[in-house]
Amino acid sequence: MTLKTKGRLYFSAWDILSCPLGVYYKKKRFPLPLVHPEIARIRENYARVAETGKLIQQKLRRKWMADHVLLAAENKIQNDWDLWCRFDALCKINGQFILYEIKGVGEDFFERIRKTGEPRKDNRIQLIIYHHFLRQKYPELKPILLYVNRKDPEQTLEIPLEYSNDEVEEIHHKVLTLKDGIEKEIPPEPAGNITFDPYENRYMVNPVAITCEYHGLCNGDDYWYPKATEEVDRLNGKNKEGGN
């Protein structure tokens, strides 16, 4: 079945981070497949976490406003990539313009970032996109990922971001590839069902697959999730036996 898109193609920063085939089906307005009950439960938990994240953002913005350092928040970013995106906060602190991307995370992940100093890859890409466009207006703008411990919001970590023009070009290429595939009706490859976490040294069901609303269609199997969890258990057992 082939469905047509309507009007000009726009993408969100989240689309760039999502399952490419899922984005294709979404833009082509394919009917949603069935959702496995366990995936529905996980997505409900994600939604609750997102609401907590919004409250954390609001609290920080109120503080920055009271301190008279908040210049703008949740503004749409004009760009020539046909992306729809909004930044969390733009501040001026001690004469320095700072672009904050605020992320509430669980305590375990917060400690992981504290130890490694490395942000999540998807958070990094999102901030690169926002900063790339805003630095044209604010050349000295400093991009910072601000992680907040959801269990104890008083605990925060600021991770300054550095990136190259090659990284920007790579992201832009992905946008162009997505658009070209949709316009020419060439479906891209889906995200894999399973991914490996080198920090925890274990396999896991890919969060990108879990959040893809079309992943049952991407796989041609509405029951892909329990099969993926079985395969994860098998791989982790083998990994443990191998001592890797």
Side-chain angles (χ1 to χ4, degrees), residues 58-171:
Q58 291 169 4
K59 182 177 180 181
L60 282 168
R61 284 194 283 259
R62 285 196 297 269
K63 178 183 182 302
W64 289 329
M65 188 176 296
D67 292 340
H68 305 289
V69 298
L70 182 65
L71 300 179
E74 297 187 295
N75 286 12
K76 185 177 179 180
I77 303 174
Q78 299 297 325
N79 64 87
D80 56 1
W81 289 12
D82 290 336
L83 289 183
W84 190 96
C85 45
R86 293 179 184 274
F87 62 81
D88 284 343
L90 179 63
C91 297
K92 188 175 183 181
I93 301 176
N94 297 325
Q96 172 73 64
F97 289 102
I98 300 175
L99 174 64
Y100 281 113
E101 181 64 22
I102 307 164
K103 300 295 181 185
V105 295
E107 188 170 27
D108 289 345
F109 198 85
F110 184 86
E111 289 303 318
R112 170 175 170 173
I113 298 171
R114 188 199 297 276
K115 291 177 181 177
T116 64
E118 295 182 4
R120 281 175 42 159
K121 183 178 179 180
D122 55 344
N123 299 160
R124 174 183 171 82
I125 292 173
Q126 188 177 5
L127 185 53
I128 287 174
I129 292 171
Y130 297 169
H131 182 261
H132 170 69
F133 296 124
L134 288 173
R135 68 180 179 179
Q136 297 173 28
K137 184 175 181 180
Y138 302 96
E140 302 301 321
L141 183 63
K142 183 177 182 180
I144 292 181
L145 276 163
L146 178 59
Y147 285 101
V148 183
N149 187 342
R150 289 196 301 267
K151 187 173 181 180
D152 180 6
E154 295 302 315
Q155 293 188 50
T156 62
L157 288 172
E158 291 194 4
I159 308 294
L161 186 68
E162 294 184 1
Y163 62 93
S164 66
N165 287 331
D166 286 344
E167 290 178 89
V168 175
E169 288 302 317
E170 183 178 345
I171 298 168

Side-chain angles (χ1 to χ4, degrees), residues 180-198:
D180 187 61
I182 292 168
E183 291 175 343
K184 294 180 179 178
E185 299 190 349
I186 303 174
E189 291 295 317
N193 295 342
I194 297 169
T195 188
F196 183 75
D197 186 334

